[in-house]
Amino acid sequence: MAQPTLAVAPNRHIGMNTLIAKLRDQHSRSVDVIAGAATLHADNGNLIIPRTAPLLTSTGVDLAPGIFGLSDVALGGVGAKLDIPVAYLRRLAAENVPLLDTNVNSWLQRDDRRFLVRCLRDNIDSAEGTARAFLSDRYLRIDNLDVLMAAIRGIETAGVAVNIASCDLTDRRMYVRFVSPEVQVMAPELLRNYRSPFDGRRGSDLPVISGGFLLKNSETGYGRYSLAPWLRIEVCTNGQTVERGTVGRTHVGARITDDDGIVDPSAETMKALLQLITSQTVDTIRNYLNVDFVARAVADLERAAGVTVRRPETTIKVVSQQLHYTQEQQDAILAHFIAGADLSAGGIMQAVTSVARSIDDADAAYRMETTASKALRLAAAAA
């Protein structure tokens, strides 16, 4: 067998046990705070939030101000909520922290709103940590661990054999890809000329596509919880979402009316939300995790996939411009297209999904997975 020609990102595609351990650790250290703008202030690039750090006193445990460094996500939230250009704030964070403090504090003093600040303590009892998101007080918190457990209950209820294909966890989102060994179709036309860029195996030797679904959630304001049909090509284990069929729940709820300070989600609200996620998982499996649906999705891809690409560099440039891929991604798609040896629009689609599997940035990879079928159709039109 040919030696691998391209590599899969080593920091991604973690296992379910590793994901759950990470989520449990985060859950144990997390603290959510509702705070009026006037009670917050920046100091040395940190966000100081009153009554968020456990403090042992002679009369018991009290709460002292917490010191939370601003993550890039939280810094973006501060910029968006206070209408300060985020690129400017990032430059200040890197080059002029005192001016960052001045800017943030000046606009906080002029604001009468309350915000939800999602934080992670360095450890359970620490007064220091990281502000990982700066959000509206209407943001509906649906945590990754709860979403995952609710989805697993839905899988158990549906009674279909499902395996974990891969998991990714970033500061912005959680992604869990499920695949069923019971839901597979043959795709010889789609894969006859394709070769895995990772180990050289040929699609003609294993022309199988499996059905599955992608679970996605954000705890920090980057999109809704969602479930989407997902296909995996077995010869290379690249995957892509199917354009139709996504269901989900937007992270917007009623304005939080608790007093300022640490807040916990309503048990009644969370119970209803998690029941919804469980039932939507069951519906997703029953509607999309079947051979008929996967066969229709594959046939839809095959209609455009056979178009020969005679000018790969030009076609990939057109596709990249239309889908806003970076120059680095465009160059990687060309390299994967050449390694994949399928000189068709389908080969460009395969190159997009294999780049998605190989890059370090899981958020960028998700976007490429979800645009792969669009890349196919654009390539067929431009070829």
Side-chain angles (χ1 to χ4, degrees), residues 162-183:
V162 173
N163 298 328
I164 306 300
S166 71
C167 310
D168 283 312
L169 183 65
T170 75
D171 290 341
R172 289 167 171 79
R173 302 180 190 91
M174 172 186 73
Y175 309 95
V176 185
R177 300 166 183 86
F178 300 88
V179 68
S180 175
E182 297 178 352
V183 183

Side-chain angles (χ1 to χ4, degrees), residues 223-348:
R224 63 180 188 163
Y225 139 78
S226 68
L227 291 159
W230 187 76
L231 305 178
R232 184 174 76 174
I233 297 170
E234 293 303 321
V235 70
C236 56
T237 66
N238 298 338
Q240 65 188 78
T241 58
V242 179
E243 290 176 344
R244 62 185 182 278
T246 300
V247 298
R249 176 66 163 85
T250 303
H251 287 256
V252 177
R255 179 162 282 106
I256 301 172
T257 57
D258 306 54
D259 293 335
D260 285 11
I262 296 172
V263 291
D264 293 312
S266 159
E268 183 176 338
T269 298
M270 287 308 303
K271 181 179 179 181
L273 282 171
L274 298 179
Q275 286 175 342
L276 173 64
I277 292 169
T278 297
S279 65
Q280 287 183 331
T281 303
V282 174
D283 291 342
T284 296
I285 291 173
R286 290 176 178 169
N287 291 333
Y288 304 118
L289 219 58
N290 60 73
V291 170
D292 288 343
F293 176 81
V294 174
R296 289 195 301 272
V298 170
D300 189 42
L301 297 176
E302 286 179 333
R303 278 190 281 273
V307 177
T308 300
V309 176
R310 303 190 186 281
R311 297 179 297 166
E313 289 190 51
T314 301
T315 300
I316 290 171
K317 182 177 181 179
V318 170
V319 170
S320 298
Q321 288 174 339
Q322 290 291 316
L323 297 178
H324 305 291
Y325 296 150
T326 65
Q327 184 62 51
E328 184 179 1
Q329 290 167 349
Q330 179 180 321
D331 294 342
I333 291 168
L334 179 59
H336 281 243
F337 178 77
I338 293 169
D342 182 352
L343 306 180
S344 69
I348 289 181

Side-chain angles (χ1 to χ4, degrees), residues 149-207:
M149 293 300 105
I152 288 173
R153 286 193 292 274
I155 292 169
E156 292 170 348
T157 300
V160 176
V162 173
N163 298 328
I164 306 300
S166 71
C167 310
D168 283 312
L169 183 65
T170 75
D171 290 341
R172 289 167 171 79
R173 302 180 190 91
M174 172 186 73
Y175 309 95
V176 185
R177 300 166 183 86
F178 300 88
V179 68
S180 175
E182 297 178 352
V183 183
Q184 296 185 331
V185 301
M186 302 295 287
E189 288 300 311
L190 185 64
L191 300 175
R192 62 180 178 175
N193 296 319
Y194 180 62
R195 183 178 64 201
S196 169
F198 303 114
D199 60 14
R201 291 193 300 169
R202 294 187 175 277
S204 57
D205 296 330
L206 186 62

Side-chain angles (χ1 to χ4, degrees), residues 33-43 46-52 64-66 68 104-105 107-117 134 259-262:
V33 184
I34 285 292
T39 69
L40 299 169
H41 73 278
D43 181 34
N46 300 309
L47 192 64
I48 311 302
I49 310 177
R51 297 190 58 77
T52 50
F68 298 97
V104 172
N105 290 333
W107 289 108
L108 283 172
Q109 290 167 10
R110 290 166 169 79
D111 207 306
D112 60 1
R113 290 173 295 171
R114 299 196 311 165
F115 301 101
L116 170 65
V117 189
F134 191 89
D259 293 335
D260 285 11
I262 296 172

Side-chain angles (χ1 to χ4, degrees), residues 210-229:
S210 298
F213 64 95
L214 169 68
L215 169 68
K216 174 176 69 76
N217 187 56
S218 176
E219 296 182 338
T220 54
Y222 281 83
R224 63 180 188 163
Y225 139 78
S226 68
L227 291 159

